[in-house]
Amino acid sequence: MVALTRTCAIFHFSIVMPHRYIAGSCDELSEDDDKWGVSSMALVADTIDNAMTELIKDPSKFLDRQFMMKIFDDYKYLKPFDEWWEYSFVDGHKTNLVGNTKKID
């Protein structure tokens, strides 16, 4: 069970979150780059497909943080995506979602 949880977490952080951001921010991304648009999502699909093909060839890369977290590096030239990436993964997005800090009398 722990292995499945870890597998899902790796997949979520390295593929799902960046893909969702790019898909949900096509209009924002197109402001900085006139060539970017909804049709550019086909490039993102190709990127994911290429990464999955590479993982099929060498499954040990799934546990390689460098490989998994560089799948979407080709899109960091889009300033909003790069800013989101830095905020989410590099600078350390911090939330206080676990536990309640308010005392109950």
Side-chain angles (χ1 to χ4, degrees):
M1 189 66 157
V2 173
L4 177 61
T5 303
R6 289 180 180 173
T7 301
C8 290
I10 291 169
F11 189 77
H12 180 75
F13 284 116
S14 62
I15 297 173
V16 174
M17 285 179 61
H19 184 242
R20 286 186 64 191
Y21 178 82
I22 292 172
S25 301
C26 278
D27 59 332
E28 185 181 331
L29 295 172
S30 65
E31 291 174 2
D32 289 341
D33 184 8
D34 294 335
K35 298 176 187 172
W36 187 265
V38 175
S39 60
S40 302
M41 289 306 296
L43 298 172
V44 177
D46 288 342
T47 299
I48 294 171
D49 184 54
N50 292 338
M52 295 298 114
T53 303
E54 193 67 32
L55 288 173
I56 289 170
K57 291 177 185 175
D58 184 7
S60 66
K61 287 187 176 182
F62 188 78
L63 297 177
D64 181 8
R65 182 178 179 170
Q66 296 295 335
F67 174 78
M68 293 301 290
M69 296 307 284
K70 291 187 184 239
I71 292 173
F72 289 94
D73 274 1
D74 293 345
Y75 304 101
K76 288 188 179 176
Y77 73 92
L78 299 165
K79 188 176 179 186
F81 178 70
D82 188 45
E83 290 172 355
W84 172 82
W85 185 272
E86 294 291 319
Y87 176 75
S88 297
F89 298 113
V90 178
D91 293 340
H93 177 82
K94 296 180 178 42
T95 60
N96 189 16
L97 297 176
V98 179
N100 188 351
T101 57
K102 296 181 182 177
K103 291 185 179 183
I104 300 174
D105 294 329

